[in-house]
Amino acid sequence: MPELPDVEVFRRYLGSTALHKKIKKSHLLDDRLLENAGHQQVVRRLNGNRFQSTDRHGKYLFVHLKDGWTLVLHFGMTGFLKYYKYKEDASEHAKLIIDFANGYHLSYDNQRRLGRIDLTESIGDFVKEQDLGPDVMSDDFDQERFLELLKGRRGTIKGALMNQSVMAGVGNIYSDEALFQAGIYPGRPVEKVKSAEQKKLFRTLRRVLSIAIDKQVDPSRFPRGYLLPNRKPGADCPRCGGKIRKATISGRSAYYCARHQRK
DNA sequence: AATATTGTTCAGCA
DNA sequence: GTGCTGAACAATAT
């Protein structure tokens, strides 16, 4: 579930809780999420250190340490962060627990093994290695760049939005929402999406992500006319009274309105 | 009890 | 090489 808005909410959460506090001890409870960094390397790097600032690129969270290194977290489909005081409040599937000198703890929880814990010295290098496209919410990601990235692309518009090498941050849920609001059928080939529609899609996508962040990714707080709070087959479309349908598009379950999303 | 879910990776194909 | 699709992966809910 964690797409760009979810990870941004995690980033702010960490920023308002765990920043600048002295790390007494760290516990890495599952080595299977490591890719480049080794167990000892992570633990030693964190112990005695401090979180200084945070960044995000797409669905990746970067936590800069005081010594210049950066902790990298990816949340897969089930990951989240929790800051808590009492040990008995520890989350159930904690993979990494940080004990702070103030007695509080921060845990990275991930029920499944899809996710990642890593260290890097440079976000730029990491992004390059992962072959990530520009972050969809970054200031220099504009309409021109969006159109440029879609140009010449084969496959579906939904597939292009979800492709992290094209642009980083959008997954199944928010690609559905953006296409729903832009009135474009998710399975439409990219080259069949007219320039005016692409421009509208860009604006819609940015607005959707921005509102999702504002509303703390709680669908019940989303404005009227959003697909997400009622994303299931057979539901009534909150925009036009059509029916919500489900189809497999670019390998994922796409939900769309059969009436107002033009093929 | 089979199926759906979610994001990323990778084999395979055009 | 490139880029896209679809299967595989984990672990749970329905």
Side-chain angles (χ1 to χ4, degrees), chain A residues 27-72:
Chain A
H27 312 268
L28 182 57
L29 303 159
D30 192 339
D31 289 351
R32 294 175 300 182
L33 296 185
L34 299 174
E35 201 131 315
N36 301 316
H39 179 104
Q40 288 303 324
Q41 196 192 352
V42 171
V43 170
R44 286 194 189 132
R45 185 63 60 189
L46 291 172
N47 289 350
N49 217 324
R50 286 171 201 267
F51 294 153
Q52 196 160 56
S53 60
T54 59
D55 265 309
R56 185 188 52 68
H57 190 105
K59 304 172 187 174
Y60 286 88
L61 174 61
F62 300 95
V63 188
H64 303 296
L65 302 166
K66 208 180 164 215
D67 68 358
W69 279 75
T70 298
L71 176 68
V72 182

Side-chain angles (χ1 to χ4, degrees), chain A residues 166-181:
Chain A
V166 175
M167 61 192 88
V170 182
N172 195 24
I173 301 271
Y174 289 99
S175 59
D176 271 3
E177 185 66 59
L179 290 163
F180 173 83
Q181 293 192 23

Side-chain angles (χ1 to χ4, degrees), chain A residues 142-151 195 198-199:
Chain A
D142 56 12
Q143 188 177 83
E144 201 182 342
R145 191 94 189 272
F146 183 74
L147 297 185
E148 195 59 40
L149 288 168
L150 292 181
K151 197 169 286 177
S195 173
Q198 294 191 7
K199 288 173 182 166

Side-chain angles (χ1 to χ4, degrees), chain A residues 3-260:
Chain A
E3 301 182 24
L4 186 155
D6 308 80
V7 178
E8 178 61 20
V9 170
F10 295 153
R11 187 184 77 78
R12 294 178 184 187
Y13 177 72
L14 190 147
S16 66
T17 55
L19 233 44
H20 310 305
K21 301 186 166 79
K22 172 129 182 155
I23 296 170
K24 198 162 76 179
K25 201 160 191 282
S26 62
H27 312 268
L28 182 57
L29 303 159
D30 192 339
D31 289 351
R32 294 175 300 182
L33 296 185
L34 299 174
E35 201 131 315
N36 301 316
H39 179 104
Q40 288 303 324
Q41 196 192 352
V42 171
V43 170
R44 286 194 189 132
R45 185 63 60 189
L46 291 172
N47 289 350
N49 217 324
R50 286 171 201 267
F51 294 153
Q52 196 160 56
S53 60
T54 59
D55 265 309
R56 185 188 52 68
H57 190 105
K59 304 172 187 174
Y60 286 88
L61 174 61
F62 300 95
V63 188
H64 303 296
L65 302 166
K66 208 180 164 215
D67 68 358
W69 279 75
T70 298
L71 176 68
V72 182
L73 297 175
H74 188 283
F75 296 86
M77 302 193 274
T78 53
F80 63 91
L81 296 175
K82 182 176 176 181
Y83 184 75
Y84 57 98
K85 183 167 187 180
Y86 301 107
K87 276 228 159 71
E88 53 268 31
D89 292 332
S91 56
E92 195 181 349
H93 303 282
K95 307 289 185 189
L96 176 66
I97 299 179
I98 317 272
D99 302 335
F100 295 101
N102 68 356
Y104 281 73
H105 315 271
L106 179 76
S107 72
Y108 163 89
D109 186 288
N110 204 332
Q111 182 185 68
R112 303 183 199 169
R113 238 164 56 195
L114 307 182
R116 181 158 169 195
I117 299 172
D118 215 334
L119 288 171
T120 185
E121 287 189 271
S122 151
I123 293 189
D125 290 353
F126 185 88
V127 166
K128 202 169 284 180
E129 274 165 36
Q130 293 301 309
D131 192 28
L132 297 176
D135 181 272
V136 173
M137 288 307 282
S138 76
D139 291 339
D140 50 339
F141 186 73
D142 56 12
Q143 188 177 83
E144 201 182 342
R145 191 94 189 272
F146 183 74
L147 297 185
E148 195 59 40
L149 288 168
L150 292 181
K151 197 169 286 177
R153 198 151 286 281
R154 306 194 302 266
T156 69
I157 185 65
K158 179 175 173 67
L161 293 180
M162 291 192 303
N163 186 337
Q164 303 301 296
S165 305
V166 175
M167 61 192 88
V170 182
N172 195 24
I173 301 271
Y174 289 99
S175 59
D176 271 3
E177 185 66 59
L179 290 163
F180 173 83
Q181 293 192 23
I184 302 167
Y185 174 69
R188 178 125 56 103
V190 173
E191 73 264 27
K192 296 275 181 61
V193 182
K194 298 201 174 70
S195 173
E197 291 178 301
Q198 294 191 7
K199 288 173 182 166
K200 181 176 187 184
L201 179 57
F202 172 76
R203 289 192 301 271
T204 304
L205 179 61
R206 294 264 286 204
R207 190 184 61 237
V208 161
L209 297 176
S210 157
I211 287 177
I213 294 166
D214 279 354
K215 302 297 178 189
Q216 306 268 309
V217 296
D218 177 358
S220 70
R221 296 177 58 201
F222 288 0
R224 293 177 62 84
Y226 269 57
L227 170 67
L228 289 187
N230 215 0
R231 185 174 171 266
K232 47 182 171 251
D236 293 324
C237 170
R239 301 233 148 182
C240 76
K243 284 283 180 223
I244 301 303
R245 291 233 187 94
K246 180 183 156 181
T248 299
I249 292 165
S250 289
R252 299 254 78 106
S253 299
Y255 293 79
Y256 64 96
C257 171
R259 183 149 144 205
H260 85 266

